[in-house]
Amino acid sequence: MKANWYYLPLTFLLLIGLVACGGKSPKASQSNNSGSSSQESNLTFFGVALEQFDEVGRPIWKVNAKKAKYTKEKQIGQAENPYGELYQDGKVVYQIKAEQADIEQDGKQLFLKGKIFATDPSNGIVLQGNELEWRPQEDLLIVRNQINGTHKQLKAVAKEARVKTREQRVEFSGGVVANSADPQMQIRTENLIWQIKEEKLIGDRPVQIDRYKNNQITDRGRGNSAEVNLKTKIATIKQNAQIDLLDPPMQIASNSMTWNMTTEAVTTNSPVRVFHRAENVNVTANQGEMKIPQKTVYLTGNVNAVGQRRQTLKAQKLTWYLDKKLLEGQGNVVYRQVDPPLNFTGETAVGNLQTENIVVKGGKSGGRVVTEIIPQQRVNRQ
């Protein structure tokens, strides 16, 4: 059951003086009919303190201004150099300031329009925007219109930021671009949740993650959703997950992948496809791991490697040494090539798929059979 709130009237502390621009009569009508003229309250105050309290007398906001205009409709209008605090449970959750802002309040909500800065004193987050809305009953702070959020761990721009102060959660939406210093990366999406205490970023929409080294992109991840742990520096990409590497020039695709940005390893327990763009070699398997610095790929379960000329190597396990251009297959090995047509089976295989130089060992006859396949010299016919 929600508690009923009551709100105290505005309190204006007149520290310097008061200029009243009210009571002016409108221009007389040219009509002969008699009419009544209305007076609009338009007062200018110097040294203004705007306060609001909850039902037990705890403050929910306090705003001060050097100068402010008072109107009947808005209660307080344009204010110069406003600054103050937003409270939750009697404690300051955000400090706000602006050079100039329009202020409105209805007892339940506070609105500011202008170039506004909101700072969380507990963690140092600064949100900058052109509109601010404080809804204390909903524990919700909204900053809109050209959002720029800064923190020692993250910098983000978006159209809107919605802050849950008790949960220590910020949700950015609309053209979100978030940059992290450690790990050095950039996230682009339409909706990004930042769980501040857990140090996690969660994207539930299509997301792109660019990994940087020395301010240069080295890897790029994509997926329909993602979660990044800023503490462990591990990203989990799900649903149509894909990671593109610059060196080596590889593409890894799966339904779900874990990307460790410290060890630079990509792991998946789901069906995976690994494509070497330069060599045009495509490998699929039930699961796999790639160690990027070592330029080595480990694949397990129904491994199928296909070369540029449709030559294939199947195995239960496969280790792919990218620098050496070497494949090592184990378990139920089957090698096939189209030209010349050859088919070999065994327990292990080692070789270069592109040059079609493969050594298969351990035939089904029980002996240690070694079969060496060397491509025939092709003669160009005129």
Side-chain angles (χ1 to χ4, degrees), residues 17 77 98 157 173 181 187 196 317 338 371 375:
V157 295
S173 61
I187 299 177
I196 302 167
K317 292 183 179 181
V338 178
T371 304

Side-chain angles (χ1 to χ4, degrees), residues 244-251 276-277 290 292 295 322-323:
D244 293 284
L245 312 178
L246 185 64
D247 184 24
M250 307 286 291
Q251 182 183 89
H276 196 300
R277 293 189 295 269
M290 180 172 182
I292 300 172
K295 298 183 180 180
L322 301 170
D323 274 353

Side-chain angles (χ1 to χ4, degrees), residues 3 118 229 276 279 318:
N229 190 315
H276 196 300
E279 296 182 6
L318 184 74

